[in-house]
Amino acid sequence: MAEEGGAPVVVPPAAVPDLPAAPVAKGRTPRGARFAGAADVPQAGPRERVEPPDMTARRETAGTVATLVRLRSEGRTGEAHAVLVEAAHWPADRFPLLAAELQQAGLGADWATLLWEAASLPADRLVAAADALVAAGRSADGEQVLRQGVARPAGEIGAAVLALVAEGRSREVTALLDAYVRVRTPEEAARSAEPGPATLVPLLLAAARGVSQERHWDLVHALRVAGFSA
């Protein structure tokens, strides 16, 4: 349509295409009045989707440490110990974070207690906790939890190693037996072969040889005294 006495008004066709294109929807698009404008919100990228588990670990760790601080300040030692026992069964990759948060809060004694409780974990989880601590630069803590973990009865160690062998967990077998032959006497190590001498004797000897030639020969003697071929 033309205005009276003037040139026709033409609407340029390029006015609409200049707007940014709507993002391509992934999955079902929200509909309804309460979702108005939702399509304009940028979608979370892969990086944002990976963050929640780590943030959850940090949040739960901070909450646990805050609870311990409160319980300690109120003299509720039994409840504080129960919290530590529960934390000792957390996933292995949380142990370094627990260590850092506890020590930062001045609860170094609680960290030592938690390591002691973790020593009673099943063999595979014990080694996983030690590995996580070593990987985070806390080698002393990793070695400590292994040393405490192999203080369990000799027969239990032997059975745990056999279970790991059956699962093909050679890394865990090596770590557990290395700590074991370093900490226990040759006589105790020899008794751990009872659940399965054919499998355990060679593994024990290999671990002892890795410590020293002297420890190897001491174990050979102890095994022979115990009635095992070495």
Side-chain angles (χ1 to χ4, degrees):
M1 178 185 297
E3 294 184 2
E4 294 182 5
V9 176
V10 179
V11 178
V16 174
D18 286 341
L19 294 173
V24 177
K26 296 182 180 179
R28 189 168 57 188
T29 303
R31 299 182 183 278
R34 67 193 183 95
F35 293 108
D40 296 332
V41 179
Q43 300 297 311
R47 179 179 176 183
E48 291 174 303
R49 293 192 184 104
V50 172
E51 288 175 357
D54 181 62
M55 295 305 296
T56 298
R58 291 184 178 278
R59 183 174 62 254
E60 291 181 356
T61 301
T64 296
V65 172
T67 298
L68 284 167
V69 169
R70 176 174 55 80
L71 292 174
R72 292 300 186 193
S73 68
E74 296 171 358
R76 297 158 66 180
T77 56
E79 292 173 67
H81 188 263
V83 171
L84 290 170
V85 171
E86 182 179 352
H89 290 79
W90 282 9
D93 58 4
R94 293 194 185 186
F95 274 58
L97 181 58
L98 271 167
E101 293 287 341
L102 285 169
Q103 292 178 340
Q104 186 174 356
L107 299 177
D110 280 345
W111 170 240
T113 300
L114 192 151
L115 280 181
W116 179 257
E117 293 296 337
S120 63
L121 291 170
D124 56 340
R125 296 183 62 189
L126 174 71
V127 175
D131 283 348
L133 289 165
V134 171
R138 307 188 69 95
S139 297
D141 288 336
E143 293 168 4
Q144 180 180 337
V145 76
L146 274 179
R147 286 197 305 271
Q148 293 172 171
V150 296
R152 60 193 73 188
E156 191 175 324
I157 290 290
V161 171
L162 287 176
L164 291 172
V165 169
E167 295 173 6
R169 310 282 288 275
S170 58
R171 165 72 186 91
E172 287 84 350
V173 168
T174 300
L176 192 66
L177 288 182
D178 178 75
Y180 185 60
V181 298
R182 290 176 185 273
V183 173
R184 307 297 287 272
T185 66
E187 292 74 21
E188 290 170 327
R191 287 199 296 273
S192 71
E194 291 179 2
T199 298
L200 294 171
V201 167
L203 291 173
L204 285 163
L205 289 173
R209 191 179 298 111
V211 174
S212 69
Q213 194 64 31
E214 181 181 2
R215 180 55 59 95
H216 174 256
W217 285 116
D218 287 345
L219 181 56
V220 167
H221 176 70
L223 286 166
R224 288 174 178 168
V225 170
F228 301 120
S229 299

